[in-house]
Amino acid sequence: MRRVNAWWWWVAAGVAATVVYYLLPEDGLAANLFYNAVGLLSALAILIGVRLHRPARPAAWYWFSAGQAASAVGDLVWEYYRYVLHQEPDPSIADVFYLGSYPLLAVGLWMLIRGHRERAALADATMAGAGLGLAFWIFVLHPIAAEHASSPLAWLISTAYPACDALLLAMLARLLMARGGTRSTRMLAMATLLLLVADAAYSIITLHSDSDGEQFAAGWLLSYTLWAAAALHPSMAAPAEPVESRAARLGRSQIALLTGCAMLSPAMLFLPHVGDNAVDRVAIGASSAVLLVLAAARARGLMRQVQQHSAELRQIALHDDLTGLPNRRHFEHSLAEAARTGRARMAFLGLDDFKNVNDELGRPVGDLVLTTLAGRISRAAPGVLVSRLGGDEFALLLPAGDEGDRVVEGLVAVLCAPVEAGGHELLVGASIGLAEAADPVEALRRAEVSMHAAKETGEPYRSWSPALDERAGEHARLGAELQAALHAGHFQVVYQPIVAVPGGRTVAVEALVRWHHPQRGTISPTMFIPVAERNGLIVELGAWVLRTACEQLVGWRAELGPDAPERVSVNVSARQLARPQFPATVAEILATTGLPPQCLTVEVTETAVFGGGQAVTALHELRALGVSIALDDFGTGHSSLGLLHTVPVDVLKVDKSFVDNITEAGRHAVIAQALIQVSEGLGLKAVAEGVETAEQADVLYGLGYRLLQGYHFGRPTATPEFSRAIYPLGA
């Protein structure tokens, strides 16, 4: 705290010393020695400030201290002449110290501001120095030179003082033009200004009157004080702020200063008695020429800065700020250029399930994944324009022929590797759509349609064909009609039995949705479910299916009693599980329909829960309600067995692909047997799906399966028959 406030106490002491000086007998030895003491203490205080704050560049402050000490020593030498030798020589040895102090201060100022070397700033400072220097010459330097022309040495000494002031004036102008300085540099500017004003006023007053100029001692004393205060202030050790573009940083006061300085030369011609002699006219002409050259240089610099900023803005406007790749605007422009010389060929790349990365791991991890993949894509396609269109979508302007095909194959290879981001090892797949067309807009559209088709089929890439447009158009029409169909009651829930063998009793049913279109007839779920997934209607449709199935089972339980199935299974999509409120929706449906939670089984696919996160959290919350969890299509995913460690599972539904050839010797039977063993070992129920023949049912029963489902036991229908056993084994 003492170090921080040292400068303030010094300023207070300096102001008090100035007052005390004027209370002492005028022109007495005590007053002069007191004045000299202030100068010497100022030099010492600067050294103390360096010691306290340890600036990165202390040399400038040593020069300041030396300048203050030289001025004070000059005063002491003059006091020796006057009070010991009783002489007042003009010039004298004291002038050597007085004059020597100015270059020392100027060197210190230059060292302090040399880090701000910028051509525009130097031009501004030189313009200010040229204008103010002209006024200084007209009103101070030239009159003094003319007054002392009789004595060459006296003329040289007398002229040297205002010349040194002009040197400090140039340094002051440079310091003032460097905006963004610290409080310490502002105090240095004020100290320099006080010194210049006191010197100029003293020169003018003593030149035109008999006054000894004692009244200006306050300016010199306060200048001493501020030099030291700048050193004692903590900001003297702060690094200099980088100087930004003058065009962007010039303030109103600086513009006014430059304008005023530039107008000084022509303004001098309108003052009386100015320009009456050849010397003044030469000075005015030279100053005007300098100002004109500097103004031209400044204008040229401004033009260069405008061009540079224009290039920077163009770079920003045409590139993605996250990955640094060209953006959509850049790509569309390049695609149009390519189309002018022939058919534009491109690849449209979309990441798979990238939204889950952002939702579950956070946007910073997602951004890291994007930048990593952007680098991989660029390295896999050297010399090819790679662009980020936005979000998780990229585009490439492909070369023609085999070279373009090799680029696509390289992309597929590099995108298969896991991505390490934020401490996670992520497998982020990608789907690529390929297209070419003479029209750039059409090429982009076709490539995007192909990319979505690749996502649906799971292919790494897909080339455009007219059939994809027909399919996309069909999907668009279905999407538009889905909402209306749901509200109009065109959907129906049907139920497929799940039977227990060997008895053949229906112990559960799986609820499936069908769409009976009034014009097109029955629309397959393979057509409308993916569309509902994409446009989000699957959430509303899924909730309706769940409520309808629960109400139906409640009705069967009331009507059939013990003959009713024990459970109803309802398929749930990844979009439903991603909603944090989904478990609450299930709880509300169970409560309003009156169905016990243990009578409901939620079926999810492996892909829906593979990424973990909210989907798995939702399953744990459903399990806590008492709802059973079934893992559908088991064995076909990326890491089926691994999911059993993280997902709460009660039932494994073995995929139809393992049942189709179960009656033949081979790997299908081996896998089916392994899966039933896994289920029994983990205490899970296993349901074999897709059973179509009695032979398949017999083999599955022999392997240990006790729950079967398939066309052999009944197709999905709105009114299943539960009063009798369905195809009991051995019957």
Side-chain angles (χ1 to χ4, degrees):
M1 182 62 70
R2 291 180 179 178
R3 292 185 178 186
V4 172
N5 293 329
W7 73 275
W8 172 249
W9 289 108
W10 173 260
V11 170
V15 173
T18 303
V19 174
V20 170
Y21 173 79
Y22 282 101
L23 296 178
L24 295 174
E26 184 178 351
D27 204 25
L29 179 60
N32 285 295
L33 291 177
F34 185 81
Y35 180 95
N36 299 339
V38 173
L40 291 173
L41 288 174
S42 173
L44 179 61
I46 292 174
L47 297 177
I48 293 174
V50 173
R51 179 73 176 178
L52 286 176
H53 303 303
R54 301 186 181 278
R57 291 191 292 183
W61 299 96
Y62 293 144
W63 285 98
F64 293 151
S65 178
Q68 302 289 41
S71 180
V73 170
D75 284 331
L76 289 174
V77 171
W78 179 250
E79 307 306 337
Y80 176 78
Y81 274 115
R82 187 176 183 185
Y83 294 103
V84 177
L85 301 179
H86 303 289
Q87 299 176 7
E88 294 187 7
D90 185 20
S92 69
I93 300 299
D95 291 308
V96 176
F97 292 97
Y98 287 142
L99 290 173
S101 66
Y102 290 91
L104 295 174
L105 296 176
V107 169
L109 288 173
W110 175 252
M111 294 185 68
L112 196 65
I113 61 179
R114 65 179 178 178
H116 296 284
R117 284 180 182 170
E118 186 184 322
R119 291 182 179 180
L122 287 172
D124 294 342
T126 307
M127 289 175 68
L132 296 175
L134 175 64
F136 205 67
W137 167 265
I138 295 294
F139 297 109
V140 180
L141 279 175
H142 189 205
I144 290 175
E147 179 70 18
H148 296 85
S150 58
S151 172
L153 183 59
W155 176 88
L156 180 63
I157 296 297
S158 299
T159 306
Y161 279 104
C164 288
D165 284 334
L167 176 63
L168 285 183
L169 182 64
M171 294 296 102
L172 177 62
R174 180 66 183 90
L175 190 62
L176 291 175
M177 294 309 297
R179 299 183 67 195
T182 63
R183 183 175 294 185
S184 175
T185 58
R186 289 193 287 272
M187 283 192 284
L188 284 176
M190 182 59 68
T192 306
L193 185 61
L194 281 172
L195 177 60
L196 292 176
V197 170
D199 284 352
Y202 175 83
S203 298
I204 294 172
I205 290 297
T206 56
L207 180 64
H208 298 288
S209 70
D210 295 331
S211 173
D212 59 1
E214 190 66 22
Q215 61 269 38
F216 301 111
W220 291 312
L221 285 170
L222 292 176
S223 177
Y224 275 142
T225 300
L226 287 175
W227 282 105
L232 293 171
H233 196 277
S235 64
M236 63 90 74
E241 294 185 9
V243 176
E244 297 179 8
S245 169
R246 297 299 105 189
R249 299 282 314 264
L250 281 179
R252 292 181 179 179
S253 59
Q254 291 175 306
I255 293 174
L257 174 62
L258 289 176
T259 303
C261 291
M263 295 299 296
L264 280 175
S265 290
M268 291 294 176
L269 298 175
F270 293 93
L271 297 178
H273 308 298
V274 174
D276 291 344
N277 57 80
V279 176
D280 284 350
R281 289 195 296 271
V282 170
I284 293 173
S287 176
S288 299
V290 169
L291 288 171
L292 179 62
V293 171
L294 290 173
R298 190 69 170 93
R300 182 180 178 185
L302 287 173
M303 287 297 296
R304 186 181 297 110
Q305 288 172 353
V306 169
Q307 293 172 352
Q308 180 180 353
H309 291 166
S310 176
E312 291 174 354
L313 290 175
R314 179 177 176 82
Q315 173 74 11
I316 293 172
L318 296 179
H319 286 77
D320 174 52
D321 56 352
L322 175 63
T323 62
L325 295 176
N327 59 14
R328 176 181 286 271
R329 180 181 299 178
H330 189 168
F331 183 80
E332 290 177 348
H333 177 76
S334 300
L335 190 64
E337 289 291 327
R340 290 191 185 99
T341 59
R343 294 175 65 84
R345 187 185 187 195
M346 64 164 292
F348 194 111
L349 188 152
L351 302 183
D352 298 334
D353 299 322
F354 178 73
K355 184 177 181 298
N356 292 336
V357 176
N358 275 339
D359 293 344
E360 297 167 12
L361 302 179
R363 191 165 296 276
V365 174
D367 289 347
L368 188 56
V369 170
L370 286 175
T371 54
T372 302
L373 291 178
R376 286 187 186 177
I377 295 170
S378 298
R379 289 189 295 272
V384 173
L385 176 64
V386 179
S387 170
R388 182 190 177 202
L389 301 183
D392 59 356
E393 295 175 341
F394 299 83
L396 294 88
L397 188 59
L398 296 176
D402 294 341
E403 186 179 354
D405 296 337
R406 285 192 294 270
V407 169
V408 175
E409 295 293 341
L411 288 176
V412 173
V414 300
L415 292 172
C416 291
V419 177
E420 293 186 3
H424 305 275
E425 189 173 71
L426 306 173
L427 187 62
V428 182
S431 302
I432 304 173
L434 307 176
E436 60 178 315
D439 178 65
V441 176
E442 179 64 11
L444 189 59
R445 186 197 68 80
R446 290 179 178 181
E448 185 171 6
V449 169
S450 303
M451 184 271 293
H452 287 301
K455 276 185 183 289
E456 290 180 12
T457 60
E459 298 171 274
Y461 62 89
R462 183 81 174 266
S463 295
W464 179 86
S465 66
L468 292 182
D469 274 355
E470 296 176 7
R471 181 175 181 177
E474 177 66 14
H475 285 183
R477 288 191 293 272
L478 287 176
E481 295 176 359
L482 272 171
Q483 184 78 49
L486 182 59
H487 293 163
H490 294 162
F491 286 99
Q492 180 186 30
V493 178
V494 295
Y495 305 90
Q496 185 173 34
I498 300 174
V499 303
V501 291
R505 178 177 177 272
T506 299
V507 294
V509 292
E510 180 180 355
L512 302 167
V513 64
R514 297 291 183 264
W515 183 4
H516 300 292
H517 195 282
Q519 284 81 38
R520 306 186 201 181
T522 301
I523 298 178
S524 170
T526 59
M527 288 291 295
F528 69 81
I529 292 296
V531 176
E533 285 274 7
R534 282 202 301 273
N535 65 17
L537 190 64
I538 193 66
V539 175
E540 185 178 353
L541 179 61
W544 177 81
V545 171
L546 179 63
R547 185 179 297 276
T548 302
C550 290
E551 290 174 347
Q552 182 63 74
L553 184 56
V554 169
W556 285 333
R557 285 163 59 89
E559 177 185 352
L560 303 176
D563 290 333
E566 300 170 3
R567 285 187 172 85
V568 61
S569 295
V570 180
N571 292 282
V572 173
S573 72
R575 273 189 178 252
Q576 289 175 278
L577 292 174
R579 300 264 180 127
Q581 61 270 32
F582 178 69
T585 299
V586 175
E588 185 271 332
I589 290 174
L590 291 174
T592 55
T593 59
L595 183 69
Q598 61 270 21
C599 294
L600 175 64
T601 299
V602 168
E603 291 193 16
V604 296
T605 62
E606 297 178 12
T607 55
V609 295
F610 179 72
Q614 176 59 39
V616 174
T617 300
L619 294 183
H620 280 287
E621 294 180 13
L622 292 174
R623 188 82 170 287
L625 291 175
V627 175
S628 298
I629 309 298
L631 202 56
D632 200 11
D633 301 332
F634 186 76
T636 61
H638 297 287
S639 181
S640 300
L641 294 177
L643 290 176
L644 300 180
H645 292 289
T646 57
V647 178
V649 178
D650 301 288
V651 179
L652 295 183
K653 302 197 72 175
V654 178
D655 188 71
K656 181 179 183 297
S657 61
F658 301 115
V659 175
D660 288 340
N661 300 312
I662 196 72
T663 57
E664 302 174 8
R667 65 176 58 192
H668 294 89
V670 173
I671 295 175
Q673 184 175 12
L675 293 179
I676 190 63
Q677 292 173 349
V678 168
S679 300
E680 292 175 348
L682 296 176
L684 307 177
K685 296 179 181 179
V687 177
E689 296 183 289
V691 181
E692 298 183 353
T693 65
E695 290 80 9
Q696 290 175 338
D698 288 336
V699 172
L700 289 168
Y701 178 74
L703 292 176
Y705 286 89
R706 297 297 178 263
L707 296 173
L708 307 178
Q709 177 183 355
Y711 286 174
H712 175 64
F713 300 102
R715 291 178 177 271
T717 177
T719 56
E721 177 62 50
F722 304 127
S723 59
R724 60 180 178 82
I726 302 177
Y727 296 110
L729 297 184

